[in-house]
Amino acid sequence: MDLLKEKGYKYTDKRKDLLSLFAHEKRYLSAKDVQESLKHKYPGLSFDTIYRNLTTFAEIGLLEETEWEGERKFRFTCSRNEHHHHLICLSCGSTKSIHTCPMEVLNSELNGFNVTGHKFEVYGYCTDCKKLN
């Protein structure tokens, strides 16, 4: 909430509750997931409002986002400062950091291409979900 204030955004209970939801989840959430989780407390909270806030939170670095199954999903930005990537379970949405980076292998094939950023995610099933499939 301090970062929001610092960036000029108002403190609201809805924003606090939205961020609190992410603090208690260890997986990526879609705007639909957020709406479903908060509907009991905020029955009139619109999908557009949620989506706009999630996008804002990602833009200022509170949340990171990915896309799978044709949908943008969000989670708290990792507290780790070192470079890493994620394994993401397609069933439960849990994530695990991995420290291997494919760019180390690709550097020799870039032929002068100036890389300004990259993202590497591996999708599959965690140990618990693999047992269920």
Side-chain angles (χ1 to χ4, degrees), residues 18-66:
L18 199 149
L19 290 173
S20 180
L21 173 64
F22 280 94
H24 292 95
E25 290 285 345
K26 303 299 179 214
R27 62 188 180 102
Y28 281 94
L29 299 172
S30 68
K32 289 178 194 172
D33 296 329
V34 172
Q35 188 175 39
E36 185 64 29
S37 294
L38 296 178
K39 73 178 183 182
H40 65 282
K41 189 167 184 180
Y42 304 105
L45 185 59
S46 76
F47 180 84
D48 289 343
T49 298
I50 293 168
Y51 199 81
R52 211 172 23 256
N53 276 282
L54 294 177
T55 300
T56 298
F57 295 163
E59 287 171 357
I60 64 174
L62 282 171
L63 299 179
E64 58 187 50
E65 66 179 285
T66 191

Side-chain angles (χ1 to χ4, degrees), residues 85-129:
H85 298 284
H86 293 117
L87 299 174
I88 302 171
C89 180
L90 293 169
S91 183
C92 70
S94 66
T95 63
K96 180 180 178 188
S97 296
I98 54 175
H99 301 281
T100 303
C101 180
M103 293 305 294
E104 295 165 6
V105 175
L106 291 175
N107 279 333
S108 64
E109 298 181 33
L110 295 177
N111 298 323
F113 185 82
N114 182 28
V115 176
T116 59
H118 70 278
K119 186 175 184 178
F120 179 67
E121 297 171 335
V122 179
Y123 301 95
Y125 297 95
C126 68
T127 306
D128 292 336
C129 292

